[in-house]
Amino acid sequence: MTKGKIIKGKSGVAFYEYTSWGYRYKVLESNGKTIYKKAKGFATEEEAVENYKQKKKEYEDSIRDFYASINKDIFFKDYIKYWFKNIFSPRVKSNTIIIGNYVVERLILPNIDYDLKINLVTASYLDEIILKASKLTSSGGYTARAYISIAMSDAYIGGYITYNPFKDVKIYSRPKPKIRVLSEEQIKKFLVEAKNTTWYLEILLALFLGLRKGEIMGLKFNDFDIENNTVRIERQLVREIINEDNNCEKKFIICENKPKTENSIRSLRITDIILQELGKRKIIVDNFKDKYKDDYNDNNYICCQENGNPRSITGLNKTLNIICSKLSLPHITVHGLRHICATILLEEGVSLAVISAFLGHSSIHTTFEYYCEVMDEKDRILGFMNNIFAAGENKDENN
């Protein structure tokens, strides 16, 4: 080493000056001001680096203690609100913000029965909040715990607390995924192939409007308002068992029922492509009527056999299996298309409340589980759906 010359070490932290190794470090003064000092006299670079690490930790601890002393009067509920808006949300994507807003506003904050200053929060206090959240939805405990974990970790890093009690909080198992979602590219391929089937309109209704299978089967032509581009969901077709005695084989009839829940009765805006396919279907059904005349069983269903009777309720899923097998795609059911619709809306930034109304769920908790003013948001919904369909159509033309 050259005497009197400062030489930087390989660590990027220590330096050699005169006859020994040293480093610069930060110190927090009592007024909150940070100053720099120099430590020297170490025989090796490694020794200097190890000592630097200790000084760095002391500085970080002093910063944490200093801010904790300032923030000690902040209540836990106020911190959670501040954390979600100013710390968490700026660093995540929009769909995570939507889910997070639900977790904070509906699972965490309402379950804080008594508010504590954040520096007095204990593991048992957090356990109580998470336990209540777990009773609202099957994944409520796991998800509320996950968000509180991040919030408390950020509170420790930010100096709101000097000790993080979260390590002693009860663990909740992660729920199994309820949905299978195709990628945008897979959806495009899927739509191109679906167009070649007799179930194309039904597939579009499931994917673009998130309708349940029974809701699709129960749609009638007069449910559609062509002038206003809307459809009214107010019934479903279901299979009911009819047996004359307990010894005979089970037999089924298809009959009309009310929708699954009261919220399932809803009006939705429809895309241009659905209107086009509805027009084509009307021509097909009118031809059926001309062919069968008085033998035609006219229930006005958009999804019917040649004689007017409802098509097989299982037929649509069979067609989906054929499409997915042909394209080597993950197998998707009608309900799977409904989940894809919800996921697309979520990724587009549509709120859980709007998605819940769109799908006709009994509550927003159901929507959250599947992840998982409707008219006010529909232009955005329609815009995205039309774009993804156009992409699929263009690909078809190129082939």
Side-chain angles (χ1 to χ4, degrees), residues 34-83:
T34 296
I35 61 172
Y36 289 84
K37 291 187 175 183
K38 183 191 291 186
K40 53 186 179 180
F42 301 97
T44 64
E45 180 179 5
E46 290 74 16
E47 185 182 349
V49 170
E50 284 302 312
N51 199 268
Y52 165 79
K53 290 179 181 178
Q54 182 180 341
K55 290 291 187 182
K56 181 182 178 183
K57 184 179 184 306
E58 290 174 1
Y59 173 75
E60 291 174 347
D61 289 344
S62 64
I63 283 284
R64 191 171 294 111
D65 291 343
F66 178 79
Y67 283 104
S69 65
I70 296 175
N71 298 325
K72 65 181 180 180
D73 290 331
I74 293 178
F75 282 87
F76 178 69
K77 183 179 285 189
D78 290 333
Y79 168 74
I80 291 295
K81 293 176 182 177
Y82 172 83
W83 166 79

Tab-separated table of all heavy atoms in Angstrom, residues 34-83:
chain	number	residue	atom	x	y	z
A	34	THR	N	-28.746	13.902	10.478
A	34	THR	CA	-27.750	12.867	10.207
A	34	THR	C	-26.405	13.514	9.905
A	34	THR	O	-26.314	14.429	9.082
A	34	THR	CB	-28.175	11.984	9.022
A	34	THR	OG1	-29.374	11.283	9.357
A	34	THR	CG2	-27.097	10.968	8.679
A	35	ILE	N	-25.355	13.027	10.591
A	35	ILE	CA	-24.000	13.505	10.313
A	35	ILE	C	-23.128	12.303	9.939
A	35	ILE	O	-23.487	11.150	10.180
A	35	ILE	CB	-23.393	14.240	11.523
A	35	ILE	CG1	-23.298	13.291	12.723
A	35	ILE	CG2	-24.212	15.477	11.867
A	35	ILE	CD1	-22.531	13.891	13.894
A	36	TYR	N	-21.992	12.570	9.321
A	36	TYR	CA	-21.078	11.515	8.911
A	36	TYR	C	-19.814	11.545	9.765
A	36	TYR	O	-19.293	12.616	10.091
A	36	TYR	CB	-20.702	11.677	7.439
A	36	TYR	CG	-21.838	11.344	6.498
A	36	TYR	CD1	-22.808	12.301	6.189
A	36	TYR	CD2	-21.938	10.080	5.923
A	36	TYR	CE1	-23.848	12.004	5.329
A	36	TYR	CE2	-22.977	9.772	5.061
A	36	TYR	CZ	-23.927	10.739	4.764
A	36	TYR	OH	-24.953	10.436	3.921
A	37	LYS	N	-19.314	10.370	10.118
A	37	LYS	CA	-18.072	10.248	10.870
A	37	LYS	C	-17.175	9.221	10.189
A	37	LYS	O	-17.619	8.462	9.326
A	37	LYS	CB	-18.359	9.830	12.312
A	37	LYS	CG	-19.043	10.912	13.147
A	37	LYS	CD	-19.134	10.493	14.622
A	37	LYS	CE	-19.700	11.616	15.471
A	37	LYS	NZ	-19.732	11.261	16.913
A	38	LYS	N	-15.916	9.218	10.627
A	38	LYS	CA	-14.954	8.280	10.054
A	38	LYS	C	-14.424	7.369	11.160
A	38	LYS	O	-14.103	7.828	12.257
A	38	LYS	CB	-13.799	9.032	9.412
A	38	LYS	CG	-12.784	8.116	8.720
A	38	LYS	CD	-11.519	8.873	8.324
A	38	LYS	CE	-11.800	9.858	7.196
A	38	LYS	NZ	-10.519	10.492	6.711
A	39	ALA	N	-14.356	6.089	10.864
A	39	ALA	CA	-13.748	5.117	11.778
A	39	ALA	C	-12.520	4.542	11.078
A	39	ALA	O	-12.550	4.257	9.881
A	39	ALA	CB	-14.729	4.010	12.115
A	40	LYS	N	-11.410	4.368	11.814
A	40	LYS	CA	-10.190	3.835	11.195
A	40	LYS	C	-9.391	3.051	12.229
A	40	LYS	O	-9.772	2.938	13.391
A	40	LYS	CB	-9.361	4.970	10.610
A	40	LYS	CG	-9.041	6.094	11.580
A	40	LYS	CD	-8.336	7.233	10.859
A	40	LYS	CE	-8.034	8.382	11.829
A	40	LYS	NZ	-7.349	9.510	11.175
A	41	GLY	N	-8.277	2.490	11.756
A	41	GLY	CA	-7.425	1.732	12.658
A	41	GLY	C	-7.607	0.225	12.565
A	41	GLY	O	-7.150	-0.505	13.444
A	42	PHE	N	-8.275	-0.266	11.492
A	42	PHE	CA	-8.513	-1.699	11.335
A	42	PHE	C	-7.375	-2.338	10.527
A	42	PHE	O	-6.894	-1.773	9.536
A	42	PHE	CB	-9.855	-1.948	10.643
A	42	PHE	CG	-11.024	-1.369	11.403
A	42	PHE	CD1	-11.548	-0.118	11.070
A	42	PHE	CD2	-11.575	-2.059	12.471
A	42	PHE	CE1	-12.593	0.427	11.763
A	42	PHE	CE2	-12.652	-1.526	13.181
A	42	PHE	CZ	-13.162	-0.277	12.830
A	43	ALA	N	-6.987	-3.527	10.945
A	43	ALA	CA	-5.843	-4.187	10.313
A	43	ALA	C	-6.175	-4.721	8.921
A	43	ALA	O	-5.301	-4.783	8.048
A	43	ALA	CB	-5.346	-5.328	11.205
A	44	THR	N	-7.438	-5.137	8.699
A	44	THR	CA	-7.821	-5.701	7.405
A	44	THR	C	-9.118	-5.057	6.912
A	44	THR	O	-9.886	-4.477	7.692
A	44	THR	CB	-8.045	-7.219	7.500
A	44	THR	OG1	-9.165	-7.469	8.367
A	44	THR	CG2	-6.802	-7.926	8.056
A	45	GLU	N	-9.352	-5.217	5.629
A	45	GLU	CA	-10.594	-4.696	5.051
A	45	GLU	C	-11.789	-5.431	5.627
A	45	GLU	O	-12.833	-4.822	5.914
A	45	GLU	CB	-10.575	-4.843	3.525
A	45	GLU	CG	-11.845	-4.303	2.865
A	45	GLU	CD	-11.823	-4.416	1.347
A	45	GLU	OE1	-10.865	-5.010	0.803
A	45	GLU	OE2	-12.776	-3.916	0.714
A	46	GLU	N	-11.668	-6.753	5.793
A	46	GLU	CA	-12.769	-7.560	6.312
A	46	GLU	C	-13.194	-7.085	7.697
A	46	GLU	O	-14.378	-7.008	8.023
A	46	GLU	CB	-12.377	-9.041	6.375
A	46	GLU	CG	-12.224	-9.719	5.021
A	46	GLU	CD	-10.955	-9.310	4.290
A	46	GLU	OE1	-10.049	-8.735	4.955
A	46	GLU	OE2	-10.859	-9.542	3.066
A	47	GLU	N	-12.207	-6.769	8.523
A	47	GLU	CA	-12.493	-6.283	9.881
A	47	GLU	C	-13.232	-4.953	9.827
A	47	GLU	O	-14.181	-4.708	10.585
A	47	GLU	CB	-11.187	-6.142	10.662
A	47	GLU	CG	-11.378	-5.761	12.130
A	47	GLU	CD	-10.061	-5.571	12.863
A	47	GLU	OE1	-8.993	-5.933	12.294
A	47	GLU	OE2	-10.090	-5.051	13.996
A	48	ALA	N	-12.824	-4.080	8.908
A	48	ALA	CA	-13.477	-2.780	8.761
A	48	ALA	C	-14.921	-2.931	8.288
A	48	ALA	O	-15.826	-2.249	8.779
A	48	ALA	CB	-12.693	-1.918	7.768
A	49	VAL	N	-15.136	-3.847	7.339
A	49	VAL	CA	-16.478	-4.067	6.800
A	49	VAL	C	-17.419	-4.597	7.881
A	49	VAL	O	-18.567	-4.163	8.000
A	49	VAL	CB	-16.429	-5.036	5.603
A	49	VAL	CG1	-17.841	-5.463	5.204
A	49	VAL	CG2	-15.714	-4.384	4.424
A	50	GLU	N	-16.937	-5.538	8.686
A	50	GLU	CA	-17.767	-6.089	9.750
A	50	GLU	C	-18.161	-5.013	10.750
A	50	GLU	O	-19.297	-4.962	11.225
A	50	GLU	CB	-17.024	-7.225	10.461
A	50	GLU	CG	-16.989	-8.522	9.679
A	50	GLU	CD	-18.376	-9.035	9.347
A	50	GLU	OE1	-19.229	-9.073	10.270
A	50	GLU	OE2	-18.622	-9.367	8.173
A	51	ASN	N	-17.219	-4.145	11.077
A	51	ASN	CA	-17.507	-3.056	12.007
A	51	ASN	C	-18.476	-2.059	11.401
A	51	ASN	O	-19.355	-1.517	12.086
A	51	ASN	CB	-16.202	-2.367	12.413
A	51	ASN	CG	-16.366	-1.556	13.681
A	51	ASN	OD1	-16.663	-0.373	13.644
A	51	ASN	ND2	-16.160	-2.212	14.827
A	52	TYR	N	-18.334	-1.836	10.074
A	52	TYR	CA	-19.247	-0.936	9.358
A	52	TYR	C	-20.683	-1.456	9.430
A	52	TYR	O	-21.622	-0.683	9.645
A	52	TYR	CB	-18.816	-0.803	7.899
A	52	TYR	CG	-19.876	-0.200	7.007
A	52	TYR	CD1	-20.092	1.179	6.983
A	52	TYR	CD2	-20.690	-1.008	6.215
A	52	TYR	CE1	-21.074	1.736	6.180
A	52	TYR	CE2	-21.676	-0.460	5.410
A	52	TYR	CZ	-21.864	0.908	5.397
A	52	TYR	OH	-22.845	1.461	4.611
A	53	LYS	N	-20.858	-2.760	9.267
A	53	LYS	CA	-22.189	-3.353	9.322
A	53	LYS	C	-22.858	-3.102	10.672
A	53	LYS	O	-24.055	-2.839	10.766
A	53	LYS	CB	-22.109	-4.854	9.050
A	53	LYS	CG	-21.758	-5.199	7.611
A	53	LYS	CD	-21.666	-6.709	7.435
A	53	LYS	CE	-21.294	-7.080	5.994
A	53	LYS	NZ	-21.148	-8.549	5.839
A	54	GLN	N	-22.064	-3.170	11.721
A	54	GLN	CA	-22.598	-2.931	13.057
A	54	GLN	C	-23.032	-1.478	13.207
A	54	GLN	O	-24.098	-1.190	13.750
A	54	GLN	CB	-21.536	-3.278	14.100
A	54	GLN	CG	-22.014	-3.096	15.539
A	54	GLN	CD	-20.940	-3.460	16.551
A	54	GLN	OE1	-19.980	-4.165	16.230
A	54	GLN	NE2	-21.088	-2.975	17.772
A	55	LYS	N	-22.170	-0.549	12.722
A	55	LYS	CA	-22.517	0.879	12.790
A	55	LYS	C	-23.761	1.189	11.960
A	55	LYS	O	-24.596	2.016	12.350
A	55	LYS	CB	-21.341	1.720	12.294
A	55	LYS	CG	-20.142	1.742	13.218
A	55	LYS	CD	-20.450	2.519	14.493
A	55	LYS	CE	-19.196	2.680	15.350
A	55	LYS	NZ	-19.513	3.384	16.617
A	56	LYS	N	-23.876	0.526	10.803
A	56	LYS	CA	-25.031	0.744	9.937
A	56	LYS	C	-26.311	0.308	10.641
A	56	LYS	O	-27.329	1.005	10.587
A	56	LYS	CB	-24.860	-0.038	8.632
A	56	LYS	CG	-26.012	0.156	7.655
A	56	LYS	CD	-25.816	-0.682	6.403
A	56	LYS	CE	-26.999	-0.507	5.448
A	56	LYS	NZ	-26.891	-1.358	4.254
A	57	LYS	N	-26.255	-0.838	11.306
A	57	LYS	CA	-27.425	-1.325	12.041
A	57	LYS	C	-27.783	-0.377	13.180
A	57	LYS	O	-28.965	-0.093	13.433
A	57	LYS	CB	-27.165	-2.726	12.591
A	57	LYS	CG	-28.383	-3.351	13.285
A	57	LYS	CD	-28.103	-4.733	13.781
A	57	LYS	CE	-29.364	-5.369	14.383
A	57	LYS	NZ	-29.996	-4.555	15.426
A	58	GLU	N	-26.763	0.135	13.875
A	58	GLU	CA	-27.014	1.080	14.965
A	58	GLU	C	-27.704	2.335	14.441
A	58	GLU	O	-28.615	2.868	15.087
A	58	GLU	CB	-25.690	1.447	15.643
A	58	GLU	CG	-25.074	0.316	16.454
A	58	GLU	CD	-23.699	0.679	16.996
A	58	GLU	OE1	-23.241	1.825	16.745
A	58	GLU	OE2	-23.083	-0.168	17.674
A	59	TYR	N	-27.296	2.778	13.254
A	59	TYR	CA	-27.905	3.976	12.661
A	59	TYR	C	-29.363	3.701	12.287
A	59	TYR	O	-30.257	4.513	12.584
A	59	TYR	CB	-27.132	4.406	11.418
A	59	TYR	CG	-27.790	5.530	10.655
A	59	TYR	CD1	-27.751	6.834	11.136
A	59	TYR	CD2	-28.467	5.290	9.457
A	59	TYR	CE1	-28.370	7.870	10.444
A	59	TYR	CE2	-29.082	6.305	8.763
A	59	TYR	CZ	-29.032	7.599	9.262
A	59	TYR	OH	-29.638	8.620	8.574
A	60	GLU	N	-29.604	2.558	11.654
A	60	GLU	CA	-30.972	2.208	11.260
A	60	GLU	C	-31.875	2.064	12.474
A	60	GLU	O	-33.033	2.482	12.445
A	60	GLU	CB	-30.952	0.914	10.435
A	60	GLU	CG	-30.306	1.092	9.063
A	60	GLU	CD	-30.153	-0.227	8.323
A	60	GLU	OE1	-30.312	-1.292	8.977
A	60	GLU	OE2	-29.861	-0.199	7.114
A	61	ASP	N	-31.341	1.472	13.542
A	61	ASP	CA	-32.124	1.334	14.772
A	61	ASP	C	-32.427	2.693	15.384
A	61	ASP	O	-33.534	2.928	15.895
A	61	ASP	CB	-31.370	0.466	15.788
A	61	ASP	CG	-31.321	-1.002	15.391
A	61	ASP	OD1	-32.115	-1.397	14.517
A	61	ASP	OD2	-30.495	-1.742	15.952
A	62	SER	N	-31.460	3.582	15.333
A	62	SER	CA	-31.672	4.914	15.908
A	62	SER	C	-32.708	5.700	15.102
A	62	SER	O	-33.518	6.444	15.670
A	62	SER	CB	-30.350	5.686	15.978
A	62	SER	OG	-29.817	5.926	14.683
A	63	ILE	N	-32.668	5.522	13.765
A	63	ILE	CA	-33.681	6.150	12.908
A	63	ILE	C	-35.061	5.632	13.281
A	63	ILE	O	-36.031	6.391	13.434
A	63	ILE	CB	-33.390	5.853	11.417
A	63	ILE	CG1	-32.240	6.726	10.909
A	63	ILE	CG2	-34.629	6.073	10.555
A	63	ILE	CD1	-32.603	8.166	10.646
A	64	ARG	N	-35.160	4.305	13.445
A	64	ARG	CA	-36.437	3.678	13.770
A	64	ARG	C	-36.947	4.157	15.127
A	64	ARG	O	-38.119	4.481	15.295
A	64	ARG	CB	-36.266	2.158	13.756
A	64	ARG	CG	-37.573	1.385	13.824
A	64	ARG	CD	-37.326	-0.094	13.595
A	64	ARG	NE	-36.855	-0.343	12.242
A	64	ARG	CZ	-35.626	-0.739	11.925
A	64	ARG	NH1	-34.750	-0.951	12.882
A	64	ARG	NH2	-35.281	-0.935	10.677
A	65	ASP	N	-36.039	4.227	16.094
A	65	ASP	CA	-36.424	4.685	17.434
A	65	ASP	C	-36.865	6.143	17.408
A	65	ASP	O	-37.819	6.536	18.095
A	65	ASP	CB	-35.253	4.520	18.408
A	65	ASP	CG	-34.954	3.064	18.698
A	65	ASP	OD1	-35.820	2.218	18.418
A	65	ASP	OD2	-33.840	2.770	19.187
A	66	PHE	N	-36.159	6.942	16.593
A	66	PHE	CA	-36.472	8.370	16.519
A	66	PHE	C	-37.874	8.584	15.956
A	66	PHE	O	-38.679	9.323	16.541
A	66	PHE	CB	-35.445	9.082	15.642
A	66	PHE	CG	-35.716	10.554	15.456
A	66	PHE	CD1	-35.394	11.471	16.453
A	66	PHE	CD2	-36.294	11.021	14.288
A	66	PHE	CE1	-35.654	12.829	16.284
A	66	PHE	CE2	-36.560	12.374	14.117
A	66	PHE	CZ	-36.239	13.279	15.118
A	67	TYR	N	-38.180	7.908	14.829
A	67	TYR	CA	-39.493	8.092	14.223
A	67	TYR	C	-40.598	7.431	15.039
A	67	TYR	O	-41.749	7.880	15.036
A	67	TYR	CB	-39.496	7.583	12.778
A	67	TYR	CG	-38.819	8.552	11.830
A	67	TYR	CD1	-37.548	8.306	11.339
A	67	TYR	CD2	-39.461	9.728	11.470
A	67	TYR	CE1	-36.919	9.211	10.501
A	67	TYR	CE2	-38.842	10.651	10.621
A	67	TYR	CZ	-37.576	10.380	10.138
A	67	TYR	OH	-36.959	11.285	9.312
A	68	ALA	N	-40.248	6.351	15.706
A	68	ALA	CA	-41.237	5.704	16.564
A	68	ALA	C	-41.646	6.634	17.694
A	68	ALA	O	-42.810	6.659	18.108
A	68	ALA	CB	-40.680	4.401	17.122
A	69	SER	N	-40.691	7.399	18.196
A	69	SER	CA	-41.001	8.340	19.275
A	69	SER	C	-41.921	9.448	18.774
A	69	SER	O	-42.762	9.964	19.512
A	69	SER	CB	-39.714	8.950	19.844
A	69	SER	OG	-39.055	9.755	18.870
A	70	ILE	N	-41.765	9.790	17.481
A	70	ILE	CA	-42.629	10.817	16.885
A	70	ILE	C	-44.009	10.253	16.576
A	70	ILE	O	-45.035	10.895	16.786
A	70	ILE	CB	-41.989	11.363	15.580
A	70	ILE	CG1	-40.667	12.065	15.896
A	70	ILE	CG2	-42.945	12.312	14.859
A	70	ILE	CD1	-39.917	12.511	14.672
A	71	ASN	N	-44.031	8.989	16.054
A	71	ASN	CA	-45.275	8.386	15.574
A	71	ASN	C	-46.006	7.549	16.624
A	71	ASN	O	-46.997	6.900	16.305
A	71	ASN	CB	-44.976	7.485	14.363
A	71	ASN	CG	-44.389	8.273	13.207
A	71	ASN	OD1	-44.743	9.414	12.990
A	71	ASN	ND2	-43.489	7.650	12.465
A	72	LYS	N	-45.520	7.545	17.838
A	72	LYS	CA	-46.086	6.639	18.842
A	72	LYS	C	-47.550	6.923	19.149
A	72	LYS	O	-48.268	6.053	19.652
A	72	LYS	CB	-45.266	6.697	20.127
A	72	LYS	CG	-45.310	8.049	20.830
A	72	LYS	CD	-44.444	8.026	22.071
A	72	LYS	CE	-44.469	9.376	22.794
A	72	LYS	NZ	-43.633	9.349	24.006
A	73	ASP	N	-48.034	8.108	18.845
A	73	ASP	CA	-49.418	8.452	19.133
A	73	ASP	C	-50.364	8.137	17.968
A	73	ASP	O	-51.560	8.416	18.050
A	73	ASP	CB	-49.538	9.936	19.502
A	73	ASP	CG	-48.913	10.242	20.863
A	73	ASP	OD1	-48.909	9.322	21.699
A	73	ASP	OD2	-48.426	11.363	21.056
A	74	ILE	N	-49.837	7.585	16.860
A	74	ILE	CA	-50.687	7.218	15.728
A	74	ILE	C	-51.452	5.930	16.047
A	74	ILE	O	-50.858	4.961	16.518
A	74	ILE	CB	-49.833	7.027	14.460
A	74	ILE	CG1	-49.228	8.368	14.031
A	74	ILE	CG2	-50.650	6.442	13.325
A	74	ILE	CD1	-48.342	8.276	12.819
A	75	PHE	N	-52.741	5.931	15.794
A	75	PHE	CA	-53.555	4.752	16.051
A	75	PHE	C	-53.432	3.758	14.897
A	75	PHE	O	-53.191	4.136	13.751
A	75	PHE	CB	-55.018	5.140	16.273
A	75	PHE	CG	-55.275	5.703	17.642
A	75	PHE	CD1	-55.102	7.057	17.905
A	75	PHE	CD2	-55.666	4.860	18.678
A	75	PHE	CE1	-55.328	7.565	19.173
A	75	PHE	CE2	-55.896	5.362	19.955
A	75	PHE	CZ	-55.721	6.718	20.204
A	76	PHE	N	-53.625	2.487	15.231
A	76	PHE	CA	-53.459	1.408	14.260
A	76	PHE	C	-54.374	1.597	13.053
A	76	PHE	O	-53.954	1.456	11.904
A	76	PHE	CB	-53.746	0.063	14.925
A	76	PHE	CG	-53.640	-1.111	14.004
A	76	PHE	CD1	-52.410	-1.511	13.505
A	76	PHE	CD2	-54.771	-1.815	13.629
A	76	PHE	CE1	-52.311	-2.592	12.647
A	76	PHE	CE2	-54.675	-2.908	12.778
A	76	PHE	CZ	-53.438	-3.296	12.279
A	77	LYS	N	-55.627	1.941	13.292
A	77	LYS	CA	-56.579	2.100	12.191
A	77	LYS	C	-56.150	3.227	11.254
A	77	LYS	O	-56.209	3.083	10.022
A	77	LYS	CB	-57.984	2.370	12.736
A	77	LYS	CG	-59.050	2.473	11.656
A	77	LYS	CD	-60.434	2.720	12.242
A	77	LYS	CE	-61.011	1.469	12.858
A	77	LYS	NZ	-62.439	1.628	13.234
A	78	ASP	N	-55.700	4.333	11.812
A	78	ASP	CA	-55.233	5.457	10.992
A	78	ASP	C	-53.985	5.071	10.196
A	78	ASP	O	-53.822	5.471	9.037
A	78	ASP	CB	-54.933	6.679	11.861
A	78	ASP	CG	-56.188	7.305	12.437
A	78	ASP	OD1	-57.250	7.161	11.806
A	78	ASP	OD2	-56.106	7.929	13.509
A	79	TYR	N	-53.120	4.288	10.834
A	79	TYR	CA	-51.912	3.859	10.125
A	79	TYR	C	-52.273	2.968	8.936
A	79	TYR	O	-51.717	3.128	7.842
A	79	TYR	CB	-50.966	3.101	11.056
A	79	TYR	CG	-49.877	2.402	10.274
A	79	TYR	CD1	-48.833	3.123	9.716
A	79	TYR	CD2	-49.943	1.025	10.040
A	79	TYR	CE1	-47.852	2.500	8.945
A	79	TYR	CE2	-48.971	0.395	9.273
A	79	TYR	CZ	-47.930	1.139	8.727
A	79	TYR	OH	-46.982	0.511	7.957
A	80	ILE	N	-53.209	2.031	9.138
A	80	ILE	CA	-53.599	1.130	8.053
A	80	ILE	C	-54.144	1.926	6.870
A	80	ILE	O	-53.814	1.656	5.706
A	80	ILE	CB	-54.643	0.099	8.536
A	80	ILE	CG1	-54.005	-0.890	9.509
A	80	ILE	CG2	-55.251	-0.652	7.351
A	80	ILE	CD1	-52.938	-1.777	8.908
A	81	LYS	N	-54.964	2.928	7.152
A	81	LYS	CA	-55.509	3.774	6.075
A	81	LYS	C	-54.383	4.506	5.345
A	81	LYS	O	-54.347	4.552	4.104
A	81	LYS	CB	-56.503	4.791	6.646
A	81	LYS	CG	-57.780	4.173	7.204
A	81	LYS	CD	-58.650	5.260	7.838
A	81	LYS	CE	-59.900	4.686	8.457
A	81	LYS	NZ	-60.709	5.737	9.137
A	82	TYR	N	-53.488	5.097	6.134
A	82	TYR	CA	-52.368	5.839	5.550
A	82	TYR	C	-51.456	4.905	4.761
A	82	TYR	O	-51.032	5.216	3.643
A	82	TYR	CB	-51.574	6.530	6.658
A	82	TYR	CG	-50.295	7.167	6.164
A	82	TYR	CD1	-50.301	8.432	5.575
A	82	TYR	CD2	-49.078	6.491	6.274
A	82	TYR	CE1	-49.136	9.006	5.100
A	82	TYR	CE2	-47.898	7.061	5.800
A	82	TYR	CZ	-47.939	8.317	5.218
A	82	TYR	OH	-46.782	8.872	4.743
A	83	TRP	N	-51.165	3.748	5.353
A	83	TRP	CA	-50.271	2.773	4.709
A	83	TRP	C	-50.809	2.331	3.363
A	83	TRP	O	-50.074	2.303	2.371
A	83	TRP	CB	-50.099	1.564	5.626
A	83	TRP	CG	-49.490	0.385	4.937
A	83	TRP	CD1	-48.175	0.180	4.659
A	83	TRP	CD2	-50.190	-0.756	4.397
A	83	TRP	NE1	-48.002	-1.008	3.988
A	83	TRP	CE2	-49.218	-1.595	3.821
A	83	TRP	CE3	-51.529	-1.134	4.361
A	83	TRP	CZ2	-49.563	-2.806	3.193
A	83	TRP	CZ3	-51.864	-2.328	3.741
A	83	TRP	CH2	-50.886	-3.145	3.177
